Amino acid sequence: MLQVLIVDDEQVERDGMKAILQKSFPSLVLHEAMNGKMAVEMARNIEPELILIDIKMPGMNGLEAFEKIIAHLPNTKFIMITAYDTYEYMRRALKLGAIDYILKPSKTNDIIETVGKVLKQIVVEKKERAKNKTQQELLKKTIAVMEADVVTQLLFEHIHEVHLDILVASISS
């Protein structure tokens, strides 16, 4: 189950986004925050895979919250939500690493398409990280076995000098 945090200072916007996401992606675990400061605190606790965050909010805006969250949770994906179709906001959001953005108001289908695309990307990346972790663990075990084998062969002098160089080189690389 993927954790998603919806951040917007307007309750009606959060409710609307939550309703769309619950209906379209029922397996998501949805959380809400009403401002940037609350989003930063919640993100540290729930470690969401996806955050949909409004740019313009009182206090800490969405871009400031984005910077703080991404510093602690680099794998978290962000979709920016804004009523302001200005290049400067989008340029800054994309520079920080936002995956996409949604303009307010948006059609339900646009929201579903954008969020669905990012959720697929998250799933692919999670599988890739799990695969890499498994490969790293297997590599560590293999190296440990090889090291033990070399030591055993050296102790019992069952190794030829030609093979020693190859085994030592393979362990050091």
Side-chain angles (χ1 to χ4, degrees):
M1 294 180 124
L2 297 178
Q3 304 281 333
V4 176
L5 178 58
I6 302 166
V7 186
D8 200 308
D9 58 321
E10 297 179 36
Q11 181 70 47
V12 70
E13 295 288 341
R14 290 194 314 271
D15 290 344
M17 185 64 73
K18 192 172 181 179
I20 291 168
L21 296 179
Q22 281 177 331
K23 184 176 181 186
S24 303
F25 308 101
S27 65
L28 295 178
V29 178
L30 301 174
H31 306 273
E32 298 177 51
M34 66 172 87
N35 58 49
K37 183 179 178 186
M38 187 180 202
V40 172
E41 292 170 11
M42 287 184 74
R44 286 187 178 151
N45 292 328
I46 63 172
E47 298 185 2
E49 285 86 3
L50 174 60
I51 298 177
L52 292 99
I53 189 166
D54 189 16
I55 292 178
K56 286 287 240 178
M57 293 182 287
M60 183 186 299
N61 70 37
L63 294 172
E64 293 167 330
F66 185 160
E67 286 183 275
K68 291 182 182 296
I69 294 168
I70 204 73
H72 295 298
L73 301 169
N75 294 321
T76 298
K77 304 294 181 213
F78 285 80
I79 296 175
M80 306 310 289
I81 303 171
T82 184
Y84 303 93
D85 190 12
T86 62
Y87 176 73
E88 183 55 32
Y89 286 129
M90 288 305 108
R91 185 188 70 76
R92 190 160 164 220
L94 293 172
K95 191 174 180 180
L96 288 171
I99 300 298
D100 213 331
Y101 69 96
I102 297 171
L103 284 175
K104 290 193 239 180
S106 273
K107 295 179 182 173
T108 300
N109 287 342
D110 292 340
I111 294 169
I112 293 168
E113 182 180 323
T114 301
V115 171
K117 177 181 70 172
V118 176
L119 290 174
K120 284 179 187 173
Q121 182 180 351
I122 290 168
V123 169
V124 167
E125 288 179 10
K126 281 182 85 167
K127 285 181 183 176
E128 190 63 32
R129 282 193 301 274
K131 179 181 170 186
N132 288 342
K133 183 179 177 185
T134 301
Q135 289 174 340
Q136 288 293 326
E137 289 168 358
L138 181 59
L139 181 60
K140 284 179 185 177
K141 288 177 184 175
T142 302
I143 289 172
V145 169
M146 287 176 59
E147 288 172 342
D149 188 46
V150 168
V151 169
T152 302
Q153 289 182 38
L154 286 171
L155 287 173
F156 294 105
E157 297 179 7
H158 287 134
I159 189 167
H160 300 287
E161 254 183 64
V162 177
H163 294 110
L164 178 62
D165 292 337
I166 294 170
L167 285 169
V168 169
S170 69
I171 289 172
S172 345
S173 15

